[in-house]
Amino acid sequence: MTQAELAERLGVTYVTGSRWENGQARPNRLAMRALAALAETGTSFFKLLKGTVSAVNKHGIAVEDTRTETSATETYLPFAPDLKLQGLKSVTELQPGDMVLVEYRETQVKDESGQPTKSTRVAVRVSLVTRAPEQTPISEPAKEEPHDKPTVQ
């Protein structure tokens, strides 16, 4: 199926479909559902998660959602191959305690009968909000230098 055919089936312009494919724009929920129906795989939704990094490795990031006062929930999000970073050069710069905003794609996969079987989440954009406070090493207090006593004449 060409971009023009896909755009026609979804009721959007060719330019809109091209912008989606190039990452310059994102389809809305209705368009996402229509795309999923055409692909017969499931529905992907883009969601935002704001929280504190609790762990990071080369494969993904664990973020503790601190928006609710009652209980914090930790979510592990593997990185998408085309992960976009804002405020960072590399994901290896992230450290526990950093506050981040993560845009992730959650896909509901359905079986042959149309029932949801599993949900997958993949981080597609990570934005650094604030850095963790610098941890200063505990050191011995500085020794006071002896002061020369003024001489009395």
Side-chain angles (χ1 to χ4, degrees), residues 92-112:
T92 58
E93 290 182 36
L94 284 174
Q95 54 192 351
D98 287 348
M99 180 71 70
V100 292
L101 183 65
V102 182
E103 181 179 1
Y104 66 95
R105 182 178 63 241
E106 183 168 10
T107 303
Q108 293 284 330
V109 180
K110 298 179 181 179
D111 62 15
E112 300 83 34

Side-chain angles (χ1 to χ4, degrees), residues 25-130:
R26 288 189 302 260
N28 63 25
R29 286 186 182 215
L30 290 174
M32 289 295 289
R33 288 182 182 179
L35 281 167
L38 286 174
E40 297 178 2
T41 57
T43 307
S44 289
F45 295 101
F46 286 90
K47 298 182 176 183
L48 287 176
L49 172 64
K50 184 176 182 179
T52 305
V53 174
S54 53
V56 64
N57 61 33
K58 64 181 180 179
H59 303 291
I61 180 175
V63 177
E64 191 174 314
D65 186 350
T66 54
R67 290 179 295 175
T68 59
E69 293 179 15
T70 55
S71 64
T73 56
E74 187 175 80
T75 304
Y76 180 77
L77 299 163
F79 297 130
D82 57 347
L83 176 72
K84 293 176 177 48
L85 300 169
Q86 292 183 330
L88 297 166
K89 292 180 184 171
S90 165
V91 292
T92 58
E93 290 182 36
L94 284 174
Q95 54 192 351
D98 287 348
M99 180 71 70
V100 292
L101 183 65
V102 182
E103 181 179 1
Y104 66 95
R105 182 178 63 241
E106 183 168 10
T107 303
Q108 293 284 330
V109 180
K110 298 179 181 179
D111 62 15
E112 300 83 34
S113 66
Q115 297 298 315
T117 58
K118 63 180 181 176
S119 175
T120 59
R121 296 176 178 157
V122 179
V124 294
R125 182 183 313 242
V126 177
S127 303
L128 182 64
V129 178
T130 56

